[in-house]
Structures are given as structure tokens and as C-alpha cells.
Amino acid sequence: YLVRLMNQVPNSATAATLLALTRLARNDARGAEVAVAPFAQAEEASAATLETARRALLLQDRGEEARALLERLVARFPSLTDARLLLAQERQRTQDWAGAETLLREVLAQEPDNEPATQLLIRGLLLSGDSAGALAASEALIARRPNSALAHTMRAAVLAARGDADGARAEFAK
């Protein structure tokens, strides 16, 4: 049906994106890319089109091209928190600690209770060697969410990483 629709409306980015998603569901990443790539290259590409093209590239082990699409997605749609978190994770994976931290702090400035962003920030600070920053971020999380098991677990992990086993055990007990 979608192939027929594409033949009837060949310039429809929506139809191409739906076709690509269907092909991805069938594990046909190359077919998905072929369907959506021309529309993903367009300046006015939608978030759905860019994300679908990115997923097709990732499934073909074309990480650098996928990252470039993710960068475009975040630049074009800066309010998409999930895309910003994905980009922060990608920057952490490549040890671009400062770039990841900037994105995460921007997300947290808009959404202070965003736990995934806080987790990624604390993790990145620890991995980059900034245990003092990780401790401060974990304490800020506890101040905002004193009854959160995640907040205490994150602080315990930071304390353990800093060599404070007693402090970590006490935090886990909370």
C-alpha cells in the first residue's frame, strides 16, 4: 500500500517516512534509507524524517552519518529533549565530555527534574574525572527529590567512585 502511495504522491515526505518505518520494522534498513534519504536531505525535513533516516543508518553501522543527522535534528528542533539526550550520550561515547555536559545542563535548565539527563550528567562527570562536579550534581538531585531512590543511588555511586565506601553504604541504606 505505501509503495503505491509513494508512486501516487512521490514528493510526500510523510509517505516516505511511513514506508521507511515499515521497512525498518521488517529489518530492511537499506530499503528504509532509500525511501527516506531524499527527504532527510531537505532543509525543511521533519523530526520524524530525520530520526527515521538516522535509525536506518545506525542499523547499517554508519554511525558517523547517523551522528550528523542527530546533530541536524537537535539544531533544527532544539526543544526535542529525547534527541538532545541521545546526542549527549553520543558525545559521551566519543568522550566529548564538555559537549555532552553543555547539552545536559541546557536540558536540566529547562527540565530540572529530568532524571535521565541528571543520570547522564553525573555519569559523564564521573567518567571525565570530575568527581566533585558529580557529587554536586547528585546532591542537587537529592535536594530536589529527597525521597527518590534514584537520587540516593546516584549519590552512593559517586561516593563509591570517590573511595568513600562507608558513605556509599550509608546512602544506599536511605
Side-chain angles (χ1 to χ4, degrees), residues 143-164:
R144 284 193 315 279
R145 312 230 12 218
N147 297 319
S148 166
L150 173 68
H152 291 284
T153 300
M154 294 301 296
R155 186 165 188 276
V158 172
L159 292 170
R162 292 173 59 111
D164 183 357

Side-chain angles (χ1 to χ4, degrees), residues 130-145:
D130 183 2
S131 66
L135 183 60
S138 69
E139 289 173 349
L141 177 59
I142 288 174
R144 284 193 315 279
R145 312 230 12 218

Side-chain angles (χ1 to χ4, degrees), residues 7 28 54 86 101 114 122 125 143-144 146 152-153 160:
N7 289 332
D28 180 9
R54 185 188 76 81
L86 285 171
E101 183 178 349
N114 187 309
I122 292 169
L125 291 168
R144 284 193 315 279
H152 291 284
T153 300

